[in-house]
Amino acid sequence: MKEKILVTGGAGYIGSHTTVELQTAGYEVVIVDNLSNSNEEVIDGIARVSDSRPAFEKVDCTDKAAMDGVFKKHAGIKGIIHFAASKAVGESVEKPLLYYRNNIVSLVNLLELMPAHKVDGIVFSSSCTVYGQPNPKDLPVTETAPILPATSPYGNTKQIDEEIIRDTIHAGVPFKSIILRYFNPIGAHPTAEIGELPNGVPQNLIPYLTQTAIGIRKELSVFGNDYSTPDGSCIRDFINVVDLAKAHVIAIERMLNNKSKAPLEYFNLGTGRGVSVLELINTFEKATGVPVPHKIVARREGDIEQIWANPHYANEVLGWKATETLEDTLKSAWAWQQKLRERGIM
Ligand code: NAD
Ligand code: WQD
C-alpha cells in the first residue's frame, strides 16, 4: 500500500473519480465530505469500481477542530487533494459570502493544519476560469497566460485560493503544492457506477443535455450563435473526467516523491482541442443515436466566448495526456444518465 491521501470533497464528481484512480494505483484514501453537494451512496459506487472502500468522514472542511480530529484519527496522511468547494457560478453571485467562507476558510484550515500533521503536499483544484476571456492571440492558453479579473465570486475564490497557496509556499512552509487548472470536465466512469449528480436544474451543458436527451427537460437552450467563432456558438475544452482524475494521481506521485521542479507548480488540464457547443450536441447525437431537441436563445450573461487549453506543459512535465475521445466521453455521460434513470434517481 502506498501513502495515505486525504481527498476533500471525495464524494463529489471529480473527487469520486480521483479516489477510484488513487485506490487503483495503490494509495490509501481518506475522504472528507460534508455531503453538501453529494451523498454517501457515492462511497458505495467507489467501492464497487475499485474493489476497495475508502475511509469516509462526514466533516466540514471549514470546521478546523473537526479537521484536526480527522488528521489525528487517520494519522500518517502524506498528501491532500483539495476538491471540497462550492462551485455554482450563478449561486455565487447570489450568495457571495457562502462562497468566500466555504472556499477560502476550508483551504486556510488545511494549510494551517498541514505542518503540525507533517503533510508533505497539497494538490489544489483550480479552474480555467482564472484566465477569463483570453486574448485570441493567447489561445490556446498556457499556464503563463495573464490571470484576468474574476467575473464571479466563485471565480474570485479560485484566484484568491491560488494566491493564498502562493504566498504560503513563498513564506517557506515545509510542504509543496501543485495547482491544477481544469478546463471543462465531462463524462462519467465507464462502469457508470459513478458520475456527475447535479442538484436541481443543471446549469452546466452536459447534464442539461443528457437530461434533455432522456426527456427530463423539454429542450436544451444553446446560449448564443452570434459569437465570433466558426459556427457562432461558444468554444470550450471538454476533458474526460477519468483522464482528469488520472492527472491527480500523477501530481500526488510527483509531489510525494520529490519530483516537483519547484515547491509550487501549475498545470493546465485540458485536451488542447476547442469544441463548440453546437459541435458537441452534434457529436453526442451521432455517438449515441439519441436526438437532443435544442433551440438557439440569447447569450448567457458572463459567458466566455472561447477558451481551450494548451496542455503541452502537463503533457511534457507530468507525462500526462487526455486520451479519451469526445465520442466515448459523451457515450459515458449518456450511460450514466441512463443508470440514474434505472436506479430511479432521475
Ligand atoms: P462537486 O460539487 O461534485 O464536489 C465537491 C464536493 O465537495 C461535494 O461532494 C461537496 O459535498 C463537498 N464539499 C463542499 N464544501 C465542503 C466543505 N466545506 N467541507 C467538506 N466537503 C465539502 O464538484 P466537482 O465538480 O467535483 O468539483 C471539485 C472541485 O473542482 C471544486 O473545487 C471545483 O471548484 C473544481 N472545479 C470544478 C470544475 C467543474 O466543471 N466541475 C471545473 C474547474 C474546477
Ligand atoms: C459550457 C458552454 C454555455 C448550458 C463553468 C464555470 C467554470 C468551470 C466549468 C468550475 C457555454 C453553453 C451551457 C446550457 C448552453 N467550473 N451552455 N446551454 O460556463 O464553460 O464553465 O463550468 O470551475 O468556472 O463557469 O460551463 O457547462 O456551464 O457551459 O448553451 O444549458 O455551454 O453558454 O458556452 P462553463 P458550462
Side-chain angles (χ1 to χ4, degrees), residues 89 127 129 154 184 203-205 208 220-223 234 236 277 300 303:
V89 175
S127 167
T129 192
Y154 166 74
N184 287 56
Q203 304 299 310
N204 295 113
L205 180 60
Y208 206 105
L220 170 69
S221 295
V222 174
F223 299 136
C234 293
R236 295 290 183 273
V277 173
R300 181 171 74 176
D303 257 342

Side-chain angles (χ1 to χ4, degrees), residues 133-150:
Q133 173 60 70
N135 192 315
K137 75 171 176 41
D138 287 334
L139 283 171
V141 276
T142 65
E143 290 77 359
T144 54
I147 302 298
L148 299 185

Side-chain angles (χ1 to χ4, degrees), residues 311-345:
H312 187 73
Y313 190 62
N315 296 164
E316 290 298 307
V317 177
L318 292 181
W320 166 89
K321 205 172 184 340
T323 56
E324 289 302 319
T325 64
L326 184 60
E327 286 77 7
D328 284 347
T329 302
L330 291 171
K331 279 190 200 164
S332 74
W334 178 234
W336 169 245
Q337 182 67 63
Q338 288 173 299
K339 187 54 111 31
L340 290 175
R341 169 64 51 91
E342 232 174 83
R343 288 197 200 143
I345 297 172

Side-chain angles (χ1 to χ4, degrees), residues 87 89 126-130 152 154-155 158 182-186 202-209 220-224 227 233-236 238 277 281 297 299-300 302-305 307:
K87 65 159 184 179
V89 175
S126 190
S127 167
C128 67
T129 192
V130 301
S152 72
Y154 166 74
K158 291 293 168 189
Y182 315 151
F183 281 67
N184 287 56
I186 63 165
Q203 304 299 310
N204 295 113
L205 180 60
I206 294 302
Y208 206 105
L209 185 156
L220 170 69
S221 295
V222 174
F223 299 136
Y227 285 100
S233 64
C234 293
I235 293 177
R236 295 290 183 273
F238 299 99
V277 173
I281 296 170
V297 301
R299 293 179 177 195
R300 181 171 74 176
D303 257 342
I304 282 162
E305 177 176 276
I307 185 165

